[in-house]
Amino acid sequence: MRVFVSSTLGELAGERQAVARAISALRLTPVMFELGARPYPPQAVFQQYLAQSDVFIGVYWQRYGQLVPGGHVSGLEEEFELSGELPRLLYVKAPAPDRESRLADLLARIEHEASASYRSFRTPAELGRLVRDDLAVLLSERFTASEAAPAAPAQPPLPGGPRGPGRLPVSTTSLIGRERAIGEVARLLGRPRARLVTLTGPGGVGKTRLAVAVGERLQGRFGAGTVLVPLEPVTDPALVLAAIGRAAGADLARTGSPLEVLAETFGEGAWLLVLDNLEQVVQAAPDLGELLARCQGLAILATSRTALGLRAEREYPVPPLPTGSGAASVAVVAASPAVALFMDRARAVRPGFALTKDNAEAVAEICRRLDGLPLAIELAAARTRLLDPPALLDRLVSSLDALGTGAVDLPERQRTLRATVEWSVGLLEDPERSLLEVAAVFTGGWTIQAVAQVAGLDEDRALELSEALARHSLVYLDSTGPGSRTRMLKTVREFVAERLAARPDADQIGRRHAGYYQALAEQADRPLRGPGRSEWIERLGTEEGNLAAAVRWYLAHDPGPLPHLFRVLWLFWLQEDLEREAWSWAQQLLPAAGTLDPQAQAELAWAAAVLAVDGGDDAAALAARQRLAPLLAGIFDPFLHAVAQLAMAWSLPIDGDFDGALRQAAVSLEELRGQDEPVFTAMAAFTASSLQMALGRYDDAERDLREARDLAEPVGGDWLAAGFGVQPGILAVLRGRLDEARPLLDEALDLSLAAHSTQFVTLCLAGYAQLAFADGDPDRAALLQGAAESLRRRVGLPAWPNLRPVEGDLVAQVRHRLGDSRFDQAFSAGSGLTQQEAVAIVRDQRGTSTP
């Protein structure tokens, strides 16, 4: 199947690459002007390409494109007109402050005629996710339809629809009794001053389901996007903004201030954040208030057991479902929302179950005793698989009476829910109950293989017991990620975690859990350093919560394995923006370094050194280097010895010792060349190149850079390519090859934006500043350098020590050329730019064309 891609070429080059990758990932063929031979006029080429295509994708931003020869419209508009018989997927980039009037007219006509709908996007990576999702839906809904019932032309979802990692989940069961609440909350969020609405209520009352339903109702109102942020695994309020950033696809690489990155990501767009389970990190409320103050189009819908306490907050207490009164007719009982929910869930496990005069009173009494709490009702309804309502009520009453009430400082309904959960757990067979308790050790879900090993079972037995727990509605299968995982409702996990803590083998279970994820990290060690890194980065990403739990367990009980674990996981943390928490773990372990064996001491010193350099903590990096230097002679592992010297090379420029750093990098590079270590060898070659460049040795710098890129290319991935992509452009500028520099920098910028790397984007801006100065435009150089340095300060990203001299020399030369006053004025103007604005300024210099 052939998918035609229409857009201007120059301004959307990165987006075209992202679309091509998304199409190819679905085993379809991208049909793109630049991919084919062109011995004929461009108009004839794209007309033939369209005639042979099955799907049309249009991507638009600011430029209308060139008019076709002898015509009155551009190739962009003609392509759209010729695609009328094809399914269309249209995407419009925002913001677009300089959109040409003819393109604006075309988009307005498309919207007015309702011939197609389009979706908004902001980055190439986001566009790639949208295209992949929409094509998958189109294929399933249009091309697999039967001939007897041909599908209507596929249209993409409304703007603000599913958005990758933060997308709203697809409901698998009906939401009963909440239509009025959905409307009330939606109207509340529609008021001008109601940009923060908090759904409050006890656990199990259905806050999350209501929030998702409201998000679905309002998707058309929030054109920039609706993002679900599950905060259940987040226990540190300082990490809430980082969790929001990851869900929204923002780049938080090496950032000390996620607030600045989020403010730039959301800008003035109409975004809705659904923050779920905020109660355990309610101290993050001031950060959320600041985020709302900076982003005027942003709205937040939060779920929490308590209000946040912000002046801008509007609280909406979520009530239990109405349960009706006693001694009523079957029809009156059936009209109760709580009973309707019970019946719906009961029929799911017992088809044909009906409300009769013999069971109606018992069903109504069950719902009343459960106070109309949806989770409690669902757990009870699942028991109708084996019990009729009167028998179910007898057991429920008996169990609740035996339990009494919970702690007096818990909400009344929470005590009732705890009793319901305990009753449900009490119905399990001993092996089922044991596995449920063991599963409470996991954070963020688990695989059958993992729970089997931690529980000491074979996988077949673990699968059998897990299926039983799923039938009891105590665990559920989550297939939204890269692989199926089993999860547990939070309220259930809280209860069974108490039971786990009381078990005599609780410490053994914790040790087996930590050991399992230590072994998983060990499996990832070699692939992370070679061609398998992308697959393993994704796999470790799904286990982020369990890996963190394993590290915390080792910190508390057995720190011995941690230095090696830190060394293995550093590449994962580096790419996934997790270095800040990792640095805190390393700092906790450093006081115990003297109790470790020599190998562990060296690995811990290495981890401390690289994490401190990454975070821009120069003092800590120097201290770590002092710990690492005397250990070098005793390191007999060839790989560790080589990367330890590389860590030394990264920190020596902090003291200005570039010659010493180059010697260390050269030694590390030479040692790594004799090993099968493409990622670290590429890093060493890149380090040597940057140091050679800082010392003015451009031939040597180009040689080492070529080696770094040759090593990185087979490994693959946008992130690594972006990391090594900007330096060729800067080097070309320094060597006076300005015609080569711009396309190199353009490519690097596209890769950096696709990788969501603020660090690499700032390097690109600094490279464009070098180019502007060499091209005789010192004012523009000062502007772009100001933008680069200000962006780094705002997000806590200092320039890497080995790259600082080149930028420092540029600043000195530009200041000398312009004079202090003129330089300060231009630099200050650049400092006021957002990343988006700075990138737009750079891209304004690119040529744009259309086929």
Side-chain angles (χ1 to χ4, degrees):
M1 188 163 294
R2 298 161 61 83
V3 182
F4 185 89
V5 182
S6 172
S7 76
T8 52
L9 297 180
E11 68 168 354
L12 292 170
E15 286 76 4
R16 291 177 70 84
Q17 293 176 13
V19 171
R21 287 194 294 268
I23 294 169
S24 299
L26 295 174
R27 301 296 190 267
L28 309 180
T29 301
V31 179
M32 307 177 74
F33 184 81
E34 65 269 31
L35 297 182
R38 294 184 288 273
Y40 302 102
Q43 185 179 13
V45 172
F46 70 69
Q47 288 175 349
Q48 287 299 312
Y49 281 1
L50 260 170
Q52 300 170 24
S53 297
D54 303 291
V55 178
F56 177 86
I57 287 181
V59 185
Y60 310 110
W61 188 20
Q62 301 198 115
R63 304 291 174 252
Y64 177 70
Q66 299 174 354
L67 299 182
V68 297
H72 301 288
V73 298
S74 70
L76 200 70
E77 184 165 354
E78 183 173 344
E79 288 169 353
F80 176 79
E81 297 296 343
L82 292 173
S83 69
E85 299 301 318
L86 301 178
R88 289 167 168 166
L89 300 174
L90 308 183
Y91 305 88
V92 180
K93 185 170 183 177
D98 300 319
R99 179 169 291 153
E100 294 177 355
S101 60
R102 296 201 64 177
L103 178 58
D105 292 343
L106 173 62
L107 295 177
R109 178 165 61 84
I110 292 171
E111 186 172 357
H112 176 72
E113 294 176 354
S115 59
S117 62
Y118 57 79
R119 304 182 68 173
S120 299
F121 72 95
R122 299 171 72 89
T123 67
E126 179 185 12
L127 174 63
R129 291 194 298 270
L130 291 174
V131 169
R132 186 173 61 248
D133 292 345
D134 292 346
L135 275 175
V137 171
L138 186 151
L139 290 174
S140 64
E141 292 185 353
R142 179 180 178 87
F143 293 104
T144 63
S146 67
E147 293 184 3
Q155 300 293 345
L158 290 173
R163 301 181 46 83
R167 62 188 182 274
L168 295 177
V170 176
S171 298
T172 57
T173 57
S174 55
L175 182 59
I176 295 173
R178 295 300 192 195
E179 189 58 33
R180 177 179 176 181
I182 293 170
E184 289 176 346
V185 176
R187 286 192 294 273
L188 188 59
L189 271 171
R191 297 176 184 173
R193 296 184 179 274
R195 295 172 51 224
L196 169 61
V197 175
T198 303
L199 306 182
T200 59
V205 78
K207 301 183 294 292
T208 299
R209 291 289 306 276
L210 176 58
V212 170
V214 172
E216 292 172 347
R217 175 77 60 89
L218 295 175
Q219 281 183 347
R221 189 184 301 170
F222 294 91
T226 299
V227 180
L228 175 66
V229 186
L231 293 171
E232 178 183 343
V234 180
T235 56
D236 183 353
L239 300 179
V240 168
L241 292 183
I244 294 173
R246 286 195 290 274
D251 171 44
L252 296 168
R254 304 181 180 85
T255 179
S257 177
L259 178 63
E260 298 290 348
V261 178
L262 289 178
E264 288 189 5
T265 298
F266 297 135
E268 298 181 359
W271 291 84
L272 176 62
L273 290 183
V274 180
L275 306 183
D276 190 34
N277 291 116
L278 197 56
E279 59 267 5
Q280 77 275 18
V281 284
V282 72
Q283 296 85 352
D287 289 338
L288 299 178
E290 179 65 15
L291 185 60
L292 285 168
R294 295 192 183 200
C295 305
Q296 296 303 309
L298 177 68
I300 294 177
L301 178 59
T303 73
S304 176
R305 295 183 187 181
T306 60
L308 306 184
L310 293 174
R311 287 182 297 172
E313 183 182 31
R314 299 293 183 270
E315 182 180 358
Y316 185 91
V318 180
L321 293 175
T323 59
S325 58
S329 67
V330 173
V332 172
V333 170
S336 159
V339 171
L341 175 63
F342 182 96
M343 296 301 297
D344 181 81
R345 301 306 189 258
R347 291 187 184 112
V349 299
R350 188 172 168 180
F353 181 77
L355 195 67
T356 67
K357 63 179 182 180
D358 295 324
N359 63 25
E361 186 176 346
V363 170
E365 182 61 22
I366 288 170
C367 293
R368 284 193 293 273
R369 285 190 174 274
L370 296 177
D371 285 342
L373 293 174
L375 175 59
I377 291 171
E378 293 189 9
L379 290 171
R383 304 283 73 77
T384 60
R385 187 192 308 271
L386 301 175
L387 298 173
D388 290 323
L392 179 60
L393 177 60
D394 288 341
R395 296 190 59 138
L396 181 61
V397 170
S398 175
S399 181
L400 286 173
D401 290 343
L403 288 170
T405 60
V408 295
D409 60 342
L410 291 173
E412 178 64 30
R413 293 184 180 88
Q414 185 176 356
R415 283 184 269 164
T416 304
L417 179 59
R418 286 172 58 84
T420 302
V421 174
E422 182 159 4
W423 163 81
S424 184
V425 172
L427 293 178
L428 300 175
E429 299 292 337
D430 286 343
E432 297 167 354
R433 187 182 305 111
S434 177
L435 184 66
L436 183 68
E437 292 168 354
V438 169
V441 77
F442 292 92
T443 300
W446 62 90
T447 63
I448 294 298
Q449 181 188 47
V451 77
Q453 185 162 326
V454 175
L457 302 170
D458 64 60
E459 291 188 28
D460 288 342
R461 180 58 172 159
L463 178 59
E464 177 186 344
L465 294 174
S466 296
E467 289 174 343
L469 293 175
R471 288 194 298 271
H472 283 282
S473 301
L474 291 168
V475 301
Y476 63 96
L477 185 67
D478 178 9
S479 301
T480 59
S484 296
R485 299 171 64 74
T486 307
R487 296 182 184 271
M488 190 186 305
L489 294 170
K490 182 182 178 183
T491 48
V492 176
R493 182 177 183 271
E494 289 176 352
F495 175 78
V496 295
E498 296 174 2
R499 299 176 65 101
L500 173 62
R503 285 174 53 150
D505 62 346
D507 187 66
Q508 298 176 26
I509 291 170
R511 181 178 295 277
R512 288 199 294 266
H513 175 271
Y516 178 85
Y517 288 100
Q518 179 195 2
L520 183 69
E522 293 283 0
Q523 283 181 262
D525 187 13
R526 289 297 306 169
L528 284 175
R529 288 146 54 185
R533 70 179 273 107
S534 295
E535 174 188 345
W536 273 91
I537 289 288
E538 183 177 44
R539 182 172 178 183
L540 294 179
T542 64
E543 301 290 3
E544 177 191 333
N546 285 311
L547 289 167
V551 170
R552 288 191 287 267
W553 190 92
Y554 280 123
L555 278 171
H557 297 88
D558 180 15
L562 284 178
H564 187 61
L565 198 59
F566 290 170
R567 199 274 296 156
V568 170
L569 291 176
W570 175 71
L571 286 172
F572 166 64
W573 291 333
L574 179 68
Q575 182 162 336
E576 294 297 294
D577 312 331
L578 300 171
E579 297 150 281
R580 193 167 89 174
E581 187 174 17
W583 174 227
S584 73
W585 293 332
Q587 288 176 304
Q588 293 178 55
L589 191 57
L590 283 172
T595 66
L596 303 172
D597 62 59
Q599 172 88 358
Q601 288 186 41
E603 288 183 307
L604 177 59
W606 177 87
V610 297
L611 289 169
V613 169
D614 289 340
D617 191 338
D618 286 357
L622 293 175
R625 189 185 76 206
Q626 291 178 345
R627 285 190 293 270
L628 182 58
L631 300 174
L632 282 173
I635 299 176
F636 301 108
D637 176 352
F639 170 71
L640 182 58
H641 191 270
V643 297
Q645 302 206 72
L646 184 58
M648 298 282 288
W650 288 341
S651 60
L652 280 167
I654 295 173
D655 286 335
D657 186 3
F658 286 84
D659 287 313
L662 181 58
R663 287 193 296 272
Q664 292 276 185
V667 171
S668 175
L669 179 58
E670 187 60 32
E671 292 181 11
L672 286 166
R673 281 179 181 142
Q675 306 175 41
D676 182 18
E677 297 291 347
V679 171
F680 275 95
T681 309
M683 287 183 171
F686 177 82
T687 301
S689 174
S690 63
L691 292 166
Q692 299 277 21
M693 189 171 69
L695 293 167
R697 304 168 186 172
Y698 300 146
D699 288 340
D700 293 333
E702 189 167 344
R703 178 201 65 218
D704 291 330
L705 183 58
R706 191 180 306 113
E707 180 179 3
R709 300 190 79 185
D710 288 345
L711 287 163
E713 185 175 356
V715 174
D718 286 342
W719 186 87
L720 202 59
F724 296 160
V726 64
Q727 194 150 310
I730 297 175
L731 189 56
V733 174
L734 295 176
R735 304 195 74 170
R737 301 171 180 171
L738 305 190
D739 291 341
E740 297 177 14
R742 174 164 291 280
L744 290 170
L745 290 173
D746 289 347
E747 179 185 11
L749 179 61
D750 290 339
L751 289 169
S752 300
L753 291 170
H756 299 290
S757 173
T758 301
Q759 178 70 282
F760 299 154
V761 169
T762 61
L763 287 177
C764 290
L765 293 176
Y768 283 112
Q770 294 275 355
L771 177 60
F773 183 69
D775 208 23
D777 193 346
D779 292 284
R780 182 178 177 82
L783 179 80
L784 293 175
Q785 188 64 35
E789 294 191 19
S790 176
L791 180 59
R792 286 172 180 155
R793 284 195 305 271
R794 293 200 300 270
V795 299
L797 289 172
W800 286 317
N802 51 328
L803 298 176
R804 293 173 190 172
V806 173
E807 294 186 25
D809 289 345
L810 173 68
V811 169
Q813 293 178 58
V814 176
R815 182 180 288 276
H816 178 74
R817 177 77 62 85
L818 294 177
D820 289 343
S821 176
R822 189 171 160 190
F823 173 85
D824 290 341
Q825 183 178 4
F827 191 90
S828 177
S831 298
L833 298 174
T834 65
Q835 174 176 304
Q836 211 168 42
E837 291 168 338
V839 169
I841 288 174
V842 167
R843 283 180 161 166
D844 279 347
Q845 301 301 305
R846 297 184 180 183
T848 59
S849 62
T850 187

